[in-house]
Amino acid sequence: MTTVNRRSFLTRSLAGAGTLVASGSVLAQPLLSSPKTALLAPTGKRRVVIAGGGWGGLSAAKHLRALAPDLEVIVLEKNPIFWSCPMSNKWLVNAVDTDLLAHSYIIPAKKYGYTFVQTEITDIDRSAKTVYTSDGFIKYDWLIIAGGIRYAFEAWFGNDQKTTQYTKTNYASAYIPSSEHAFLKNKIQNFKGGTIVMTLPPPPHRCPPSPYERACLMAWWFKEKKIPAKIIILDPKPRIAPITIGYQKAFTELYSDIITHVPNATVKEVDPYNKIVKTAAGDFKFDEAILMSPHQAADLVWKADLIGKDKAGKPTGWAAVDPQYYNTESDPQVFVIGDSVGSVSIHFGHYPKSGHVANREARLVAKYIAAQAKGVEPKAEMIDNLCFMLVNNSPKEAISVSFSYTMGPDDEILQKAIDDNDRRPELWAEDLKWLGGMYGDFL
Ligand SMILES: Cc1cc2nc3c(=O)[nH]c(=O)nc-3n(C[C@H](O)[C@H](O)[C@H](O)COP(=O)(O)OP(=O)(O)OC[C@H]3O[C@@H](n4cnc5c(N)ncnc54)[C@H](O)[C@@H]3O)c2cc1C
């Protein structure tokens, strides 16, 4: 007989009273469970656990089911609905509807025949091939970690949790799928005027061109609504990048009275209480702010002990995995994909941290796992990247950047980036087509 003590009951109630399990056939879950309970009963099949159901995780799940139908595929995700960060800047100013961003997790799970479990992953023990969640543990044969990014507020505030929480709550950056997006939308749409400061994270960070897109769309909103607003972009880089000229033209031709871009503005100190950011390019007072801390690989990568070390032995903050196979030599059945992946080449460092790249890596890793499952040597393939950014909302005009990758003679990956700086409505149409293609690949 199972006994339930008060602590495990409380843990269970607080952590996941509404645990949702969806698959080709919906599985019954015990009402009460604890981290010591098996999350799902074994099925006798070899199992792939996917930690994180964002752009990378859902793409991997769909392609694995197609390429390796004999494997059981389970997605573990803490959020109740899929929320897309791509297109979210447009949503902040009503350029697109909520329907474009928010999607059920159950529909793709049923459509492609994998199991979706809404639960929070609390630990990963690679030596025991086990993932621990707020609702029980689960064993895996293969593990794909697709947890996205974490905000590294400790770079600004050390262990000061009070200031970290204050900053997250009052000056949320909305760079992780969460309720921050709705908070930020409300803030922008109710802004009455004054100075908004945006701190950009130092590279590498999630979606490098997107903070500039956000500035453009906010400026468009304030212009339309005749709100006397100034937006100051504090950029640690020496210049806007990528799509340098396209953004420079948008800033000067469309929003010169609203947007100021400050280069070399590495953050030295943030005082959210007195509303001041001190940078290498000067001190900036604000009425409102979007305070983007530095980014790092998701907590899940730290839990799995897969963070790389630099030459001095310091953590790089990003996953140390093979640049083409996304696993490690010592643990070839554990993969990291998406934004958490660390530097892949001495020539350019990280792949751009985009949904497109996460999808491409997911598709490759699904192929690699399918090959491993058949006992075949997987063959490495290259990815690509494509990104559209809306800089004007009336008329809708976008700019874009595309990336291609080849293997160099020194066995290091080479990157070629092409900016399309000429803002025009056709690129917005292309953006929607791109999104349709991506969603069609995993939702
Ligand atoms: C404003 C903005 C605009 C963008 N625009 C574009 C664009 O136009 N094009 C483009 O290609 N990319 C764009 N991106 C980037 C894109 O969102 C990311 O690169 C992409 O989401 C990365 O996929 P991922 O799977 O690595 O992470 P995510 O999509 O963030 O997925 C990670 C998932 O893991 C889950 N997770 C994390 N920890 C746990 C845990 N402990 N337990 C359970 N689940 C967990 C999270 O809840 C999340 O659902 C944009 C990003 C932003 C913020």
Side-chain angles (χ1 to χ4, degrees), residues 51-57 76-79 82 85-90 105 119-122 146-149 174-177 181 206-207 210 213-214 298 300 303 337-340 353-358 385-389 431 434:
W55 276 63
L76 308 177
E77 165 59 46
K78 63 183 171 187
N79 286 344
F82 174 85
C85 283
M87 294 288 165
S88 64
N89 283 336
K90 288 104 170 162
Y105 273 118
T119 188
E120 175 145 13
I121 297 163
T122 51
I149 56 158
Y175 260 71
I176 289 177
H181 295 265
R206 169 165 278 185
C207 197
S210 63
E213 178 192 56
R214 186 179 284 175
L300 296 178
K303 290 182 200 305
I337 58 171
D339 287 0
S340 286
K353 299 195 179 297
S354 75
H356 189 105
V357 166
N385 186 35
L386 179 58
C387 224
F388 298 92
M389 293 284 128
D431 194 3
W434 167 84

Side-chain angles (χ1 to χ4, degrees), residues 119-177:
T119 188
E120 175 145 13
I121 297 163
T122 51
D123 207 357
I124 295 175
D125 181 351
R126 289 191 292 121
S127 61
K129 288 183 172 277
T130 303
V131 174
Y132 293 91
T133 78
S134 49
D135 297 282
F137 69 86
I138 183 161
K139 296 250 173 209
Y140 62 81
D141 297 287
W142 286 271
L143 174 65
I144 301 177
I145 301 176
I149 56 158
R150 70 182 288 273
Y151 299 138
F153 277 106
E154 61 278 8
W156 290 351
F157 306 130
N159 291 330
D160 182 350
Q161 285 306 319
K162 183 178 154 241
T163 307
T164 297
Q165 280 312 320
Y166 183 86
T167 304
K168 276 187 184 170
T169 322
N170 289 282
Y171 303 112
S173 68
Y175 260 71
I176 289 177

Side-chain angles (χ1 to χ4, degrees), residues 183-418:
F183 172 74
L184 181 57
K185 181 173 189 156
N186 186 274
K187 179 182 277 192
I188 293 168
Q189 299 203 359
N190 288 300
F191 191 60
K192 299 284 180 278
T195 300
I196 302 184
V197 155
M198 287 174 71
T199 57
L200 267 54
H205 67 85
R206 169 165 278 185
C207 197
S210 63
Y212 309 116
E213 178 192 56
R214 186 179 284 175
C216 287
L217 292 176
M218 282 166 46
W220 171 84
W221 176 270
F222 297 140
K223 204 168 135 181
E224 282 288 304
K225 307 285 171 194
K226 303 197 171 22
I227 310 281
K230 300 277 178 215
I231 300 170
I232 300 178
I233 305 172
L234 299 179
D235 194 341
K237 301 190 292 301
R239 65 184 177 103
I240 298 165
I243 339 180
T244 313
I245 295 166
Y247 273 124
Q248 271 168 353
K249 282 170 67 183
F251 289 176
T252 53
E253 291 170 9
L254 302 174
Y255 312 116
S256 63
D257 48 342
I258 301 178
I259 296 179
T260 305
H261 176 258
V262 184
N264 300 311
T266 300
V267 170
K268 292 201 297 197
E269 196 186 321
V270 177
D271 180 348
Y273 306 112
N274 292 304
K275 300 186 173 188
I276 184 157
V277 180
K278 296 184 178 173
T279 78
D283 299 351
F284 297 86
K285 278 199 79 69
F286 59 80
D287 300 300
E288 261 306 342
I290 299 176
L291 297 178
M292 302 181 196
S293 68
H295 292 171
Q296 286 183 341
D299 288 333
L300 296 178
V301 181
W302 298 78
K303 290 182 200 305
D305 196 17
L306 282 169
I307 293 293
K309 296 232 167 75
D310 65 15
K311 281 186 188 136
K314 247 181 81 196
T316 60
W318 302 97
V321 287
D322 183 275
Q324 285 188 283
Y325 288 102
Y326 310 102
N327 59 1
T328 60
E329 219 173 295
S330 60
D331 205 345
Q333 289 181 216
V334 175
F335 297 81
V336 179
I337 58 171
D339 287 0
S340 286
V341 170
S343 176
V344 293
S345 171
I346 56 166
H347 298 301
F348 60 89
H350 291 232
Y351 284 131
K353 299 195 179 297
S354 75
H356 189 105
V357 166
N359 166 269
R360 295 301 191 249
E361 291 172 350
R363 292 170 64 130
L364 290 185
V365 163
K367 274 192 194 176
Y368 300 155
I369 292 176
Q372 283 183 355
K374 285 190 199 122
V376 177
E377 191 66 32
K379 198 171 160 301
E381 290 176 41
M382 286 290 175
I383 62 157
D384 67 319
N385 186 35
L386 179 58
C387 224
F388 298 92
M389 293 284 128
L390 192 68
V391 291
N392 188 9
N393 195 32
S394 50
K396 282 193 165 58
E397 294 175 317
I399 53 181
S400 79
V401 58
S402 61
F403 296 81
S404 56
Y405 297 94
T406 49
M407 187 53 79
D410 55 355
D411 269 349
E412 289 283 338
I413 301 171
L414 300 173
Q415 170 176 277
K416 190 172 170 205
I418 300 175

Side-chain angles (χ1 to χ4, degrees), residues 55 82-88 90 96-103 355-356 359 386-388 427-443:
W55 276 63
F82 174 85
W83 178 261
S84 175
C85 283
M87 294 288 165
S88 64
K90 288 104 170 162
V96 299
D97 292 336
T98 306
D99 283 1
L100 201 68
L101 274 72
H103 296 270
H356 189 105
N359 166 269
L386 179 58
C387 224
F388 298 92
L427 289 185
W428 167 242
E430 287 291 314
D431 194 3
L432 290 174
K433 211 167 116 193
W434 167 84
L435 188 77
M438 282 287 153
Y439 277 180
D441 202 44
F442 66 87
L443 284 180

